[in-house]
Amino acid sequence: MRILVLPLTVLAAVCLYLSLPRLAPRIGALLVRLYALVCRAFTRKDGRADERPALLVFLLLLGGSAALISAVHPLLGVPVCAPLLTGFSFLPSCVKAKAELDAGQCAGNVAGYEARVRQTCASLAPAFVGGVFAPLLLLAVGTPLYLGCSLPLMFCGLRALSDVQPDARRAYALLLSLSDAVVRALLVLCSGVAGRNPLHTAGRTAQQRLMSILGIAGDGSDTHPPISGDITQAVFLCCFVTGLLTLLLSLLLIPLA
């Protein structure tokens, strides 16, 4: 039963964020407010807060709550973890951008048209690295350990606090770099889906690799001027890689779950 948690979480997240794309920032704001409440218990009389123990307690509260929910039944972790895959909230904006470009919004403005295409495509990789792949990888680690969705929820706590808490920023950056490496490797593996030879692509980050595969990186390796169809191809490639990762992780969990 627990091996169904990953694919069901992805499916639920897609359905959720196609309908409610503005939910993602509200979740981050809620986590920041929860951390502020925890910080009050670690604030001295002089107004200074012990942020490191406050962060530790905050993460333990998040992880412990999620683990208890998953302990009741593994599938109860699906509605808890699905909102954490915030990368899918970028899909409606990509659809909107393509529709506006196809409707002639930048007609006569070639530079603006190409910049809009590049900006939209470039935003996808970072969104999926931190908002889809990292939670999925942590969910796969926590599932055989009977931790349920506690690790993804703790990761999202770090992500929400990365702009205001130094320790959270460092931990988040480390986990993000590991996720980026996985995404970059999968993009190279799947570049043939977009009709590109993986040997003819480059990039030290997932974002750079995606733009190189699309052929609109803005350097000498470009294969064509950016067009609105590149947005569709970027969305397809990111979703395809997500599906592949979900399948591989689910298969790996069969003997462990």
Side-chain angles (χ1 to χ4, degrees):
M1 184 66 70
R2 285 185 296 151
I3 62 173
L4 298 176
V5 172
L6 269 75
L8 289 178
T9 297
V10 172
L11 178 61
V14 171
C15 295
L16 175 65
Y17 281 115
L18 286 180
S19 304
L20 300 170
R22 296 182 180 179
L23 179 63
R26 296 180 182 178
I27 294 175
L30 175 61
L31 291 172
V32 171
R33 288 197 294 268
L34 290 176
Y35 174 71
L37 291 176
V38 174
C39 266
R40 290 182 184 178
F42 292 88
T43 302
R44 307 170 187 171
K45 293 182 179 180
D46 59 1
R48 299 174 62 183
D50 296 323
E51 293 189 359
R52 186 165 294 180
L55 176 64
L56 180 60
V57 170
F58 170 71
L59 295 177
L60 290 177
L61 287 174
L62 289 180
S65 301
L68 288 175
I69 293 173
S70 299
V72 176
H73 193 282
L75 295 185
L76 288 179
V78 172
V80 176
C81 194
L84 307 181
L85 304 187
T86 56
F88 291 117
S89 65
F90 281 71
L91 298 184
S93 63
C94 291
V95 174
K96 180 181 178 181
K98 185 181 186 304
E100 290 176 348
L101 291 173
D102 290 342
Q105 187 182 67
C106 294
N109 183 4
V110 177
Y113 179 95
E114 294 182 351
R116 180 80 183 276
V117 172
R118 282 198 174 99
Q119 181 182 12
T120 303
C121 293
S123 68
L124 272 175
F128 271 70
V129 167
V132 176
F133 283 83
L136 278 180
L137 291 168
L138 292 171
L139 181 60
V141 172
T143 297
L145 299 177
Y146 295 91
L147 294 175
C149 57
S150 58
L151 295 182
L153 186 55
M154 294 167 70
F155 170 80
C156 288
L158 293 173
R159 181 175 64 195
L161 299 176
S162 60
D163 292 333
V164 297
Q165 219 281 353
D167 293 317
R169 185 182 306 115
R170 286 190 289 269
Y172 173 69
L174 175 61
L175 293 172
L176 202 63
S177 65
L178 296 175
S179 176
D180 189 270
V182 173
V183 177
R184 189 168 67 251
L186 289 175
L187 284 173
V188 173
L189 180 65
C190 299
S191 57
V193 176
R196 290 298 305 275
N197 184 335
L199 299 179
H200 294 164
T201 63
R204 310 181 87 177
T205 65
Q207 182 186 53
Q208 294 171 354
R209 184 68 65 168
L210 175 63
M211 299 298 284
S212 178
I213 292 173
L214 295 175
I216 56 171
D219 53 26
S221 66
D222 286 6
T223 60
H224 62 277
I227 57 176
S228 63
D230 291 319
I231 298 176
T232 302
Q233 196 168 41
V235 170
F236 170 74
L237 189 57
C238 287
C239 290
F240 183 86
V241 171
T242 300
L244 178 61
L245 177 66
T246 304
L247 175 62
L248 292 175
L249 293 177
S250 298
L251 292 176
L252 289 174
L253 289 177
I254 291 178
L256 300 175

